[in-house]
Amino acid sequence: MSSKEQKTPDGQAPEEIVTEQHEEVEAAESAESAEQVDPRDEEIARLQSELAQAQTRERDNVLRMKAEMENLRRRTEQDIEKAHKFALEKFINELLPVIDSLDRALEVANKENQDMAAMVEGIELTLKSMLDVVRKFGVEVIADTNVPLDPNVHQAIAMVESEEVSPNHVLAVMQKGYTLNGRTIRAAMVTVAKAKA
């Protein structure tokens, strides 16, 4: 009798038993390997997570740096613009006493005296040409009367009762004020009208 023809008490051929045992061993091994997690896989997953976090942090840092650079560029442009606009402020402040002196000379000059007419005309022309020059560079004179009092450009030195001018309006200008590109470099000294009691 050959080995193939031999049967076990259960009625199975020995080859079938070996095959079944082999399949059971493979199934047990694959179950064990499925239950066991390779530590290298855990390390790879951890490293991938750390890499993703590092990339997110780096992206955030880059965006923050770009925003900071944009803000710095904008501030620098504003500073340069202000420097150009107000570079003459110190020079204009030095010129104001000269303009004031010419104004006072015209106020006290006797305009009816024919001997002084040429000198008065010369002072008027000098003052006009000086004001024309400073206006080219953004200087404006504050000397209007009967306008509402504006604390940004007026400095009230007195309040006077008046029927001709509305209350809280400029009645008279004692000293002219000046602005440079909209910024007050000297407030006008004014008297302000108030209602009669």
Coordinates of all heavy atoms in Angstrom, one line a residue, residues 34 142 154 161 175 188 195:
A34 N -0.3 40.7 12.1 CA -1.3 41.7 12.0 C -1.4 42.4 13.4 O -1.6 43.6 13.5 CB -2.6 41.2 11.6
I142 N -3.5 132.1 7.5 CA -4.8 132.0 8.2 C -5.1 133.4 8.8 O -4.4 133.8 9.8 CB -4.8 131.0 9.4 CG1 -4.4 129.6 8.9 CG2 -6.1 131.0 10.1 CD1 -3.9 128.7 10.0
H154 N -6.8 128.3 15.2 CA -6.9 129.6 15.9 C -6.5 129.5 17.3 O -6.8 128.4 17.9 CB -8.4 130.1 15.8 CG -8.8 130.4 14.4 ND1 -10.0 129.8 13.9 CD2 -8.4 131.2 13.5 CE1 -10.2 130.3 12.6 NE2 -9.2 131.1 12.4
E161 N -17.7 141.3 23.1 CA -19.1 141.3 22.7 C -19.2 142.0 21.4 O -18.6 143.0 21.1 CB -20.0 142.1 23.8 CG -20.0 141.3 25.1 CD -20.9 142.1 26.1 OE1 -21.2 143.3 25.9 OE2 -21.1 141.6 27.2
Q175 N -2.6 138.3 15.1 CA -1.3 137.8 14.4 C -1.8 136.7 13.5 O -2.5 135.7 13.9 CB -0.3 137.3 15.5 CG 1.0 136.8 14.8 CD 1.9 136.2 15.8 OE1 1.6 135.5 16.7 NE2 3.2 136.6 15.7
A188 N -3.2 131.2 14.4 CA -3.6 132.6 14.3 C -4.1 133.0 15.7 O -4.9 132.4 16.3 CB -4.6 132.9 13.3
A195 N -21.9 136.8 22.4 CA -23.2 137.5 22.4 C -23.2 138.5 23.5 O -22.6 138.4 24.5 CB -24.3 136.5 22.5

